[in-house]
Amino acid sequence: MTATLPPFGDLLRGWRQRRRLSQLDLAGDADISARHLSYVETGRSVPSRDMVLRLAEQLDVPLRERNTLLLAAGYAPMFSERPLHDPALGAALEAVEAVLAGHEPYPALAVDHHWNLVAANRAVGPLLAGVDAELLTPPVNVLRLSLHPRGLAPRIENLSEWRLHLLNRLAGQIERSGDAELAHLRRELAAYPAPDPPPAGTHGHAQAHVFVPLRLMTSQGPLALLGTTTVFGTPLDVTLSELAIEAFFPADAATGERLRALLEAPPGGAAGEGGG
């Protein structure tokens, strides 16, 4: 594997440039001389294992890529990568399930670093009525599900701004991680049909001034949802570091009532029925 990796110095320089730091900036943050950092980047100096980890920490390199940096420098990976159902991750997954269940009747789901669905609470299912079955075949990508013309897109009332929000968020994630698969996903999503953007400077609702809501039509009427993201604070496992909980809260009282009604309603209602 190490034979196929670029030199450590090239990888380090790429991360430094991605973070828009000069050699002097990074050297100061890592408490080393700019000359020594220059030697490391050009391959004239071989960094110690501790130096690799210190530079990666200062550059906020994801754990998966920290392992790559270690390999490129000639060291064994430090951070494990276990399957989600590995017993070692049991406590963490129990915590995720507890958060998801405790968030009902509001929707919440857990995703991996490529936005593939890991778990969801019962409140998510009623929101997916009418979605093409192919999009619900594992692995389910929640961004594709949201913006695909056979997914939720036809029922998202503010599709233009929600689409822009997701694409911008994904672009930021790509910038931070350098993940080629995420870049491919963003190109796919950006190619989906898009509605005309709203006139500049206009907002349909007051909330748009402080956050971008998801406005979704359902069988119980329209929902206005505020999204939040939760991640593990001190992960030492690659899989755990890439797990995120996307939870939605009602942006108004009517949405809260409709979410409770959706969870209690018998299955089979058409998602597009009803009114606001």
Side-chain angles (χ1 to χ4, degrees):
M1 180 177 179
T2 54
T4 64
L5 290 174
F8 172 80
D10 291 352
L11 292 175
L12 178 64
R13 185 184 307 108
W15 281 106
R16 177 177 61 77
Q17 293 172 344
R18 182 174 288 116
R19 298 296 185 253
R20 296 179 174 84
L21 293 174
S22 67
Q23 285 187 342
L24 187 61
D25 291 333
L26 178 56
D29 292 341
D31 196 25
I32 61 175
S33 71
R35 173 178 289 184
H36 181 50
L37 179 60
S38 175
Y39 283 0
V40 169
E41 287 194 357
T42 59
R44 294 177 63 184
S45 178
V46 178
S48 67
R49 183 174 180 273
D50 287 344
M51 178 62 67
V52 173
L53 293 173
R54 186 193 311 178
L55 291 169
E57 178 70 21
Q58 294 301 323
L59 291 168
D60 193 25
V61 176
L63 297 193
R64 180 182 298 275
E65 300 307 324
R66 293 189 197 194
N67 278 344
T68 301
L69 287 172
L70 285 165
L71 284 168
Y75 303 106
M78 174 179 175
F79 304 100
S80 61
E81 182 178 2
R82 299 176 174 89
L84 273 170
H85 297 292
D86 189 290
L89 298 182
L93 290 180
E94 287 179 8
V96 169
E97 294 287 353
V99 171
L100 296 181
H103 197 65
E104 294 175 1
Y106 309 144
L109 46 89
V111 296
D112 66 16
H113 66 303
H114 288 142
W115 291 88
N116 293 317
L117 183 66
V118 172
N121 67 10
R122 294 184 305 134
V124 171
L127 304 183
L128 304 181
V131 167
D132 191 306
E134 183 179 351
L135 296 173
L136 299 176
T137 302
V140 176
N141 186 279
V142 300
L143 295 187
R144 183 179 293 117
L145 184 66
S146 179
L147 298 183
H148 198 284
R150 298 196 307 274
L152 294 177
R155 291 195 283 116
I156 297 177
E157 295 186 322
N158 60 332
L159 180 58
S160 179
E161 64 175 346
W162 184 249
R163 175 180 180 273
L164 181 61
H165 163 69
L166 292 185
L167 291 177
N168 286 344
R169 183 175 174 185
L170 192 52
Q173 188 178 353
I174 294 165
E175 177 69 16
R176 291 190 302 273
S177 68
D179 192 301
E181 188 169 334
L182 286 178
H184 177 78
L185 175 63
R186 190 183 185 281
R187 288 193 292 271
E188 176 191 333
L189 300 181
Y192 292 165
D196 294 332
T202 63
H203 298 285
H205 301 272
Q207 293 98 324
H209 291 286
V210 291
F211 63 83
V212 178
L214 170 60
R215 300 192 178 278
L216 183 68
M217 179 58 67
T218 72
S219 60
Q220 297 293 326
L223 305 178
L225 300 169
L226 165 63
T228 65
T229 303
T230 302
V231 297
F232 283 91
T234 55
L236 294 176
D237 179 89
V238 172
T239 302
L240 196 58
S241 73
E242 296 173 343
L243 198 63
I245 296 175
E246 301 289 326
F248 292 88
F249 292 85
D252 53 50
T255 292
E257 295 174 0
R258 288 165 181 160
L259 285 170
R260 283 185 284 273
L262 280 166
L263 191 59
E264 296 168 359
E273 295 173 356

mmCIF file of all heavy atoms in Angstrom, residues 213-229:
data_model
loop_
_atom_site.group_PDB
_atom_site.id
_atom_site.type_symbol
_atom_site.label_atom_id
_atom_site.label_comp_id
_atom_site.label_asym_id
_atom_site.label_seq_id
_atom_site.Cartn_x
_atom_site.Cartn_y
_atom_site.Cartn_z
ATOM 1 N N PRO A 213 -34.488 26.653 6.392
ATOM 2 C CA PRO A 213 -35.366 25.549 6.789
ATOM 3 C C PRO A 213 -35.570 24.574 5.636
ATOM 4 O O PRO A 213 -35.373 24.920 4.472
ATOM 5 C CB PRO A 213 -36.672 26.265 7.120
ATOM 6 C CG PRO A 213 -36.692 27.432 6.174
ATOM 7 C CD PRO A 213 -35.249 27.855 5.999
ATOM 8 N N LEU A 214 -35.939 23.368 5.981
ATOM 9 C CA LEU A 214 -36.429 22.411 4.984
ATOM 10 C C LEU A 214 -37.944 22.498 5.019
ATOM 11 O O LEU A 214 -38.570 22.195 6.039
ATOM 12 C CB LEU A 214 -35.971 20.995 5.320
ATOM 13 C CG LEU A 214 -36.602 19.866 4.490
ATOM 14 C CD1 LEU A 214 -36.306 20.037 3.005
ATOM 15 C CD2 LEU A 214 -36.140 18.509 4.992
ATOM 16 N N ARG A 215 -38.543 22.920 3.908
ATOM 17 C CA ARG A 215 -40.003 23.056 3.833
ATOM 18 C C ARG A 215 -40.526 21.933 2.957
ATOM 19 O O ARG A 215 -40.365 21.938 1.737
ATOM 20 C CB ARG A 215 -40.385 24.428 3.288
ATOM 21 C CG ARG A 215 -39.864 25.555 4.167
ATOM 22 C CD ARG A 215 -40.452 26.908 3.835
ATOM 23 N NE ARG A 215 -39.938 27.919 4.758
ATOM 24 C CZ ARG A 215 -40.410 28.138 5.979
ATOM 25 N NH1 ARG A 215 -41.431 27.420 6.410
ATOM 26 N NH2 ARG A 215 -39.872 29.045 6.758
ATOM 27 N N LEU A 216 -41.152 20.958 3.610
ATOM 28 C CA LEU A 216 -41.535 19.714 2.952
ATOM 29 C C LEU A 216 -43.034 19.495 3.050
ATOM 30 O O LEU A 216 -43.618 19.567 4.138
ATOM 31 C CB LEU A 216 -40.795 18.550 3.627
ATOM 32 C CG LEU A 216 -41.001 17.158 3.046
ATOM 33 C CD1 LEU A 216 -40.378 17.052 1.657
ATOM 34 C CD2 LEU A 216 -40.387 16.114 3.987
ATOM 35 N N MET A 217 -43.671 19.217 1.919
ATOM 36 C CA MET A 217 -45.092 18.915 1.903
ATOM 37 C C MET A 217 -45.316 17.448 2.261
ATOM 38 O O MET A 217 -44.608 16.558 1.785
ATOM 39 C CB MET A 217 -45.685 19.205 0.525
ATOM 40 C CG MET A 217 -47.175 18.897 0.423
ATOM 41 S SD MET A 217 -48.184 19.812 1.635
ATOM 42 C CE MET A 217 -47.966 21.486 1.027
ATOM 43 N N THR A 218 -46.287 17.185 3.144
ATOM 44 C CA THR A 218 -46.610 15.822 3.568
ATOM 45 C C THR A 218 -48.120 15.640 3.556
ATOM 46 O O THR A 218 -48.886 16.583 3.294
ATOM 47 C CB THR A 218 -46.095 15.546 4.995
ATOM 48 O OG1 THR A 218 -46.902 16.267 5.942
ATOM 49 C CG2 THR A 218 -44.641 15.947 5.146
ATOM 50 N N SER A 219 -48.558 14.424 3.877
ATOM 51 C CA SER A 219 -49.992 14.130 3.921
ATOM 52 C C SER A 219 -50.708 14.928 5.005
ATOM 53 O O SER A 219 -51.925 15.109 4.944
ATOM 54 C CB SER A 219 -50.204 12.628 4.164
ATOM 55 O OG SER A 219 -49.623 12.241 5.391
ATOM 56 N N GLN A 220 -49.966 15.409 6.005
ATOM 57 C CA GLN A 220 -50.557 16.193 7.079
ATOM 58 C C GLN A 220 -50.434 17.691 6.846
ATOM 59 O O GLN A 220 -50.880 18.484 7.673
ATOM 60 C CB GLN A 220 -49.894 15.834 8.415
ATOM 61 C CG GLN A 220 -50.085 14.394 8.849
ATOM 62 C CD GLN A 220 -51.529 14.082 9.177
ATOM 63 O OE1 GLN A 220 -52.258 14.924 9.677
ATOM 64 N NE2 GLN A 220 -51.956 12.851 8.880
ATOM 65 N N GLY A 221 -49.820 18.067 5.727
ATOM 66 C CA GLY A 221 -49.614 19.481 5.437
ATOM 67 C C GLY A 221 -48.130 19.806 5.385
ATOM 68 O O GLY A 221 -47.273 18.929 5.544
ATOM 69 N N PRO A 222 -47.792 21.071 5.182
ATOM 70 C CA PRO A 222 -46.384 21.449 5.040
ATOM 71 C C PRO A 222 -45.652 21.429 6.376
ATOM 72 O O PRO A 222 -46.216 21.750 7.418
ATOM 73 C CB PRO A 222 -46.463 22.879 4.482
ATOM 74 C CG PRO A 222 -47.783 23.399 4.956
ATOM 75 C CD PRO A 222 -48.706 22.220 4.979
ATOM 76 N N LEU A 223 -44.375 21.052 6.303
ATOM 77 C CA LEU A 223 -43.499 21.074 7.467
ATOM 78 C C LEU A 223 -42.407 22.114 7.254
ATOM 79 O O LEU A 223 -41.908 22.280 6.136
ATOM 80 C CB LEU A 223 -42.834 19.710 7.682
ATOM 81 C CG LEU A 223 -43.728 18.481 7.803
ATOM 82 C CD1 LEU A 223 -42.861 17.236 7.954
ATOM 83 C CD2 LEU A 223 -44.689 18.624 8.965
ATOM 84 N N ALA A 224 -42.018 22.787 8.318
ATOM 85 C CA ALA A 224 -40.855 23.676 8.316
ATOM 86 C C ALA A 224 -39.883 23.121 9.346
ATOM 87 O O ALA A 224 -40.164 23.137 10.548
ATOM 88 C CB ALA A 224 -41.261 25.103 8.659
ATOM 89 N N LEU A 225 -38.749 22.620 8.879
ATOM 90 C CA LEU A 225 -37.830 21.887 9.741
ATOM 91 C C LEU A 225 -36.478 22.591 9.837
ATOM 92 O O LEU A 225 -35.932 23.048 8.831
ATOM 93 C CB LEU A 225 -37.619 20.470 9.207
ATOM 94 C CG LEU A 225 -38.878 19.602 9.116
ATOM 95 C CD1 LEU A 225 -38.581 18.333 8.312
ATOM 96 C CD2 LEU A 225 -39.369 19.247 10.506
ATOM 97 N N LEU A 226 -35.944 22.622 11.036
ATOM 98 C CA LEU A 226 -34.611 23.171 11.300
ATOM 99 C C LEU A 226 -33.661 22.016 11.568
ATOM 100 O O LEU A 226 -33.917 21.194 12.446
ATOM 101 C CB LEU A 226 -34.660 24.100 12.518
ATOM 102 C CG LEU A 226 -33.334 24.495 13.164
ATOM 103 C CD1 LEU A 226 -32.488 25.296 12.172
ATOM 104 C CD2 LEU A 226 -33.583 25.315 14.427
ATOM 105 N N GLY A 227 -32.578 21.922 10.811
ATOM 106 C CA GLY A 227 -31.650 20.810 10.941
ATOM 107 C C GLY A 227 -30.473 21.127 11.839
ATOM 108 O O GLY A 227 -29.968 22.256 11.873
ATOM 109 N N THR A 228 -30.023 20.120 12.596
ATOM 110 C CA THR A 228 -28.819 20.222 13.413
ATOM 111 C C THR A 228 -27.953 18.995 13.170
ATOM 112 O O THR A 228 -28.449 17.949 12.744
ATOM 113 C CB THR A 228 -29.145 20.305 14.922
ATOM 114 O OG1 THR A 228 -29.751 19.083 15.351
ATOM 115 C CG2 THR A 228 -30.093 21.464 15.210
ATOM 116 N N THR A 229 -26.658 19.113 13.447
ATOM 117 C CA THR A 229 -25.714 18.011 13.255
ATOM 118 C C THR A 229 -24.968 17.746 14.551
ATOM 119 O O THR A 229 -24.488 18.679 15.194
ATOM 120 C CB THR A 229 -24.702 18.340 12.148
ATOM 121 O OG1 THR A 229 -25.401 18.629 10.936
ATOM 122 C CG2 THR A 229 -23.757 17.173 11.911
#
